[in-house]
Amino acid sequence: MTINIRNKNPKSAVSKSDAVYRTLKRVILDQALTAGTKLPEDSIGERLGVSRTIVRQALARLNGEGLVELRPHKGACVAQPSLEEGHNIFEVRRALEALVVGTLIGKLTPQKIKQLEAHVDAEERAKANNAASSIQLAGEFHVLLASLTGNELLLRYVTELVSRSSLILSLYGRPHSSDCAVSEHHEIIAALAAADRNKAAALMDHHIDAITTRALLKAKPENDFPDLLAAYAREEGL
């Protein structure tokens, strides 16, 4: 049954918009849809029980993160970045991640270090049970680092680049063990906690380089969009 939220509490509308955004983002980053898959507002709204306006808001946010392309008179589709674009994305990300590390040196409180360690512990738990969740948490680790700098502009750019990187890896990434990401994250936290600027910078640079070199062109199977969307939506409470 379609839920009409236009006359309800504005906070409810925001909550619905966030849920639709998270649902679509997970569908894309979990590699459930191939690049170029159309994302029709009416079908998505009907499937998720929300208005086209809410779907449009979610698609606009995803467009801002480079995960969705909004084409005039043709609607939205899953973005199709090229390998060349991917290399450019990782080049910029490398520079911004270095800025994040440099900003955090000497500024991480024990509480912030515990927050980072708790996140990596969650990565550790997820790697054995949920590969998709493990990959998502690995990306969110870098967003968390950026958030701890207190620089909102830096956080915004890192968030976008992490999303774009995840899409690149979903399209061109070769299989890899999540053990690598978890161990490297532990090492980065240790270097930051010790305020070792050179070691932290070197570890982060190596980490981003390792992610970049996983690019390898490969095809993805087609999936049934409505059924996939419904499964992800249930987890978001839609």
Side-chain angles (χ1 to χ4, degrees):
M1 179 178 69
T2 300
I3 301 173
N4 185 348
I5 66 170
R6 285 176 290 183
N7 296 321
K8 294 186 178 182
N9 190 315
K11 290 185 178 180
S12 175
V14 171
S15 176
K16 285 287 185 182
S17 180
D18 286 343
V20 173
Y21 159 78
R22 291 193 302 268
T23 296
L24 293 174
K25 184 171 183 175
R26 287 191 57 211
V27 168
I28 293 170
L29 294 184
D30 284 1
Q31 310 169 34
L33 296 175
T34 57
T37 299
K38 292 183 179 180
L39 301 169
E41 294 174 4
D42 52 353
S43 297
I44 294 172
E46 181 179 355
R47 175 64 63 171
L48 300 184
V50 298
S51 68
R52 291 183 61 177
T53 299
I54 286 181
V55 176
R56 193 175 300 120
Q57 292 171 347
L59 291 174
R61 289 177 65 181
L62 293 168
N63 173 253
E65 293 182 15
L67 301 182
V68 165
E69 293 178 4
L70 298 179
R71 304 166 300 180
H73 311 300
K74 293 184 178 181
C77 70
V78 178
Q80 305 180 74
S82 66
L83 270 175
E84 182 179 359
E85 289 175 297
H87 289 304
N88 292 336
I89 287 168
F90 279 108
E91 184 176 352
V92 175
R93 182 175 170 183
R94 184 193 299 272
L96 285 187
E97 296 274 15
L99 178 58
V100 168
V101 167
T103 303
L104 289 176
I105 290 296
K107 297 181 180 179
L108 279 184
T109 63
Q111 182 179 3
K112 290 180 178 179
I113 293 171
K114 287 182 179 179
Q115 187 178 356
L116 288 168
E117 291 174 339
H119 185 93
V120 179
D121 287 343
E123 290 183 54
E124 188 86 41
R125 292 190 297 271
K127 73 180 183 181
N129 305 313
N130 191 326
S133 178
S134 177
I135 293 171
Q136 180 181 349
L137 287 168
E140 290 175 354
F141 170 78
H142 294 269
V143 175
L144 176 57
L145 281 176
S147 72
L148 294 178
T149 67
N151 186 324
E152 292 298 323
L153 190 60
L154 182 57
L155 172 60
R156 185 200 311 172
Y157 288 142
V158 169
T159 299
E160 177 180 340
L161 287 170
V162 167
S163 292
R164 288 176 180 264
S165 299
S166 297
L167 180 59
I168 290 293
L169 288 171
S170 74
L171 294 174
Y172 307 116
R174 61 167 60 95
H176 63 279
S177 171
S178 58
D179 293 343
C180 298
V182 173
S183 63
E184 289 165 5
H185 289 174
H186 276 303
E187 291 172 352
I188 290 170
I189 293 173
L192 289 172
D196 190 332
R197 180 182 300 273
N198 292 335
K199 185 174 183 179
L203 286 169
M204 180 61 80
D205 188 72
H206 171 76
H207 181 53
I208 299 302
D209 183 65
I211 298 173
T212 306
T213 55
R214 291 172 188 147
L216 179 68
L217 185 61
K218 63 178 180 178
K220 293 293 180 183
E222 294 287 345
N223 293 292
D224 184 74
F225 178 50
D227 289 342
L228 283 168
L229 198 57
Y232 280 87
R234 283 194 294 272
E235 295 185 16
E236 292 296 343
L238 287 169

